[in-house]
C-alpha cells in the first residue's frame, strides 16, 4: 500500500522525504461491524452530503459509501498524509483537528497548519491517537441515529481514552475502491 521514495538530495532533505508515501484516496472505517450493518462506519463530515458537505460541521461516524462503487467525497482521506501525522480530506483541503484534548471533545476540520491539535498517529490500521494526548483515541459513539434514510446510520466521533473495552469503536482501517 505504501511506497518509500528516497531521492538523491542533501542528507537533511533526504531524511525529511524518507517518510513520503505514494498517495491513495481511501475511506477510514471501523473494523468491527456495529449495529449489524454490513456497510460499516466511516469517518465522515457531519451534516452534509457528498460535495455539499461543510467542513465547518466537523467529523462524525457514518455508514460507508464504498459499497456503492466509489468513495464518498465527504469520506475521502489521503494516505500519504498519514506519514506526516495528518488526517487530510482531499476533496475539501482540510485536516482533522482536535477541539481539545479532553475526553468527549469533538473533531473539527480546518485548514492544515501542522499544529499539535492536527497531529495524529495512524498507520492505516489500528487506533488513531492524538499526538498531543497519546492516551486518547478517535472513538465512534455507542448510540446510533438515522440519517436521511434508514440505510444511513450516524454515530458521534469524539476523543476518548483508549481502552480494550472500546476496541469495537476505536479500531480503524482504510480501504479504497478498485
Amino acid at each position: 500500500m505504501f511506497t518509500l521514495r528516497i531521492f538523491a538530495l542533501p542528507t537533511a532533505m533526504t531524511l525529511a522525504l524518507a517518510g513520503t508515501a505514494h498517495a491513495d484516496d481511501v475511506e477510514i472505517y471501523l473494523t468491527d461491524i456495529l449495529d449489524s450493518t454490513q456497510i460499516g462506519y466511516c469517518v465522515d463530515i457531519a451534516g452534509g452530503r457528498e460535495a455539499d458537505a461543510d467542513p465547518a460541521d466537523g467529523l462524525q461516524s457514518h455508514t460507508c459509501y464504498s459499497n456503492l462503487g466509489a468513495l464518498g467525497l465527504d469520506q475521502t482521506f489521503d494516505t500519504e498524509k498519514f506519514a506526516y501525522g495528518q488526517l487530510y480530506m482531499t476533496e475539501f483541503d482540510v485536516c482533522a483537528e482536535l477541539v481539545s484534548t479532553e475526553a468527549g471533545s469533538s473533531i473539527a476540520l480546518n485548514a492544515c497548519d501542522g499544529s499539535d491539535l492536527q497531529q495524529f498517529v495512524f498507520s492505516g490500521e489500528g487506533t488513531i491517537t492524538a499526538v498531543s494526548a497519546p492516551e486518547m483515541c478517535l472513538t465512534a459513539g455507542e448510540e446510533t441515529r438515522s440519517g436521511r434514510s434508514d440505510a444511513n446510520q450516524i454515530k458521534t466521533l469524539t476523543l476518548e481514552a483508549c481502552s480494550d473495552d472500546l476496541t469495537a469503536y476505536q479500531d480503524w482501517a482504510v480501504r479504497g475502491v478498485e
Side-chain angles (χ1 to χ4, degrees), residues 21-58:
H22 172 69
D24 287 315
D25 285 343
V26 296
E27 63 187 9
I28 300 173
Y29 71 97
L30 279 175
T31 59
D32 277 286
I33 299 297
L34 303 176
D35 305 328
S36 299
T37 177
Q38 296 304 308
I39 299 170
Y41 285 93
C42 284
V43 176
D44 176 270
I45 296 178
R49 182 176 179 167
E50 293 282 331
D52 296 330
D54 184 355
D57 293 333

Side-chain angles (χ1 to χ4, degrees), residues 122-141:
F122 182 53
S123 68
E125 187 173 331
T127 58
I128 301 173
T129 58
V131 169
S132 55
E135 72 286 355
M136 304 297 271
C137 290
L138 289 191
T139 306

Side-chain angles (χ1 to χ4, degrees), residues 10-175:
T11 304
M13 190 171 285
T14 301
L15 291 174
L17 293 172
T20 302
H22 172 69
D24 287 315
D25 285 343
V26 296
E27 63 187 9
I28 300 173
Y29 71 97
L30 279 175
T31 59
D32 277 286
I33 299 297
L34 303 176
D35 305 328
S36 299
T37 177
Q38 296 304 308
I39 299 170
Y41 285 93
C42 284
V43 176
D44 176 270
I45 296 178
R49 182 176 179 167
E50 293 282 331
D52 296 330
D54 184 355
D57 293 333
L59 291 174
Q60 66 184 2
S61 302
H62 188 284
T63 44
C64 301
Y65 298 127
S66 60
N67 67 311
L68 302 173
L71 297 176
L73 297 177
D74 57 343
Q75 295 182 350
T76 303
F77 291 84
D78 180 345
T79 58
E80 181 176 353
K81 301 295 185 175
F82 296 166
Y84 300 101
Q86 295 176 325
L87 300 179
Y88 174 72
M89 298 197 80
T90 58
E91 297 298 323
F92 297 90
D93 193 27
V94 292
C95 286
E97 180 176 291
L98 300 177
V99 172
S100 84
T101 57
E102 300 298 319
S105 66
S106 60
I107 313 303
L109 289 166
N110 284 304
C112 302
D113 62 14
S115 67
D116 287 347
L117 293 177
Q118 290 185 353
Q119 297 295 304
F120 296 89
V121 176
F122 182 53
S123 68
E125 187 173 331
T127 58
I128 301 173
T129 58
V131 169
S132 55
E135 72 286 355
M136 304 297 271
C137 290
L138 289 191
T139 306
E142 293 183 34
E143 293 185 26
T144 304
R145 64 183 172 87
S146 291
R148 291 188 169 100
S149 73
D150 289 339
N152 294 324
Q153 301 294 308
I154 300 168
K155 294 178 174 291
T156 60
L157 184 66
T158 58
L159 192 64
E160 305 293 342
C162 300
S163 168
D164 289 341
D165 294 337
L166 294 174
T167 298
Y169 303 92
Q170 295 178 334
D171 191 43
W172 303 91
V174 298
R175 65 181 164 220

